[in-house]
Amino acid sequence: MTTPSALDRPTGVPLGRRLAARLVLVPAVALALLPPRRIRAVLDVLRRGAAPATAVQAQAARDALCAVSLRCTGPKGCLPRSLGAALLCRLRGTWPTWCAGVRVVPPFTAHAWIEAEGRPVGEGVPDGYFARLVSVAPHTRPPAR
């Protein structure tokens, strides 16, 4: 899964957030090796009990992953980056919408990203640029009667 991106590593990420990003990096890379149905099953379990992430929270998690890992910053790092950002949000009690899909304009390439508040986070593309094939949104509880 990939989409063109510049190797622009964020600066100014607090030490605590960088350490947490390092903590979730190994599980994110391991999770990225699984088939999509297994990734979705694991994320379905992990999202339970988490509040929806705001765009600011999701961007901070994505920035932390890119600050500590060249792999996640690189053009082929979208899957571990998106998984790591989702896991990092979960450590803080929130959950973004994790997505995997394709670009809708040629060349059609696979990509993974996170969304918050209904928009892709940190991708620098307009809404509708990607078509979702798999997504894991924040868990919603049914309304109380």
Side-chain angles (χ1 to χ4, degrees):
M1 297 187 169
T2 184
T3 190
S5 66
L7 292 176
D8 184 27
R9 294 184 78 181
T11 58
V13 177
L15 177 63
R17 189 166 289 140
R18 287 195 322 263
L19 292 174
R22 287 194 185 276
L23 177 71
V24 301
L25 187 57
V26 172
V29 170
L31 196 55
L33 299 174
L34 298 176
R37 66 183 169 84
R38 297 264 189 218
I39 293 172
R40 183 180 178 143
V42 170
L43 296 182
D44 274 338
V45 171
L46 292 175
R47 72 180 176 161
R48 292 183 186 151
T54 65
V56 171
Q57 291 167 326
Q59 184 67 54
R62 187 182 190 280
D63 287 349
L65 262 292
C66 291
V68 300
S69 170
L70 281 177
R71 170 185 235 159
C72 289
T73 305
K76 295 185 180 190
C78 65
L79 186 55
R81 176 177 58 240
S82 64
L83 291 167
L87 295 175
L88 189 54
C89 282
R90 186 62 186 101
L91 281 180
R92 298 193 177 268
T94 63
W95 188 261
T97 299
W98 178 83
C99 305
V102 295
R103 290 192 333 188
V104 295
V105 294
F108 299 103
T109 58
H111 188 57
W113 67 98
I114 59 171
E115 292 182 358
E117 300 172 1
R119 304 190 70 170
V121 174
E123 296 297 327
V125 296
D127 293 344
Y129 189 78
F130 299 115
R132 291 184 196 173
L133 298 177
V134 179
S135 68
V136 181
H139 191 265
T140 56
R141 294 183 181 161
R145 291 186 168 174

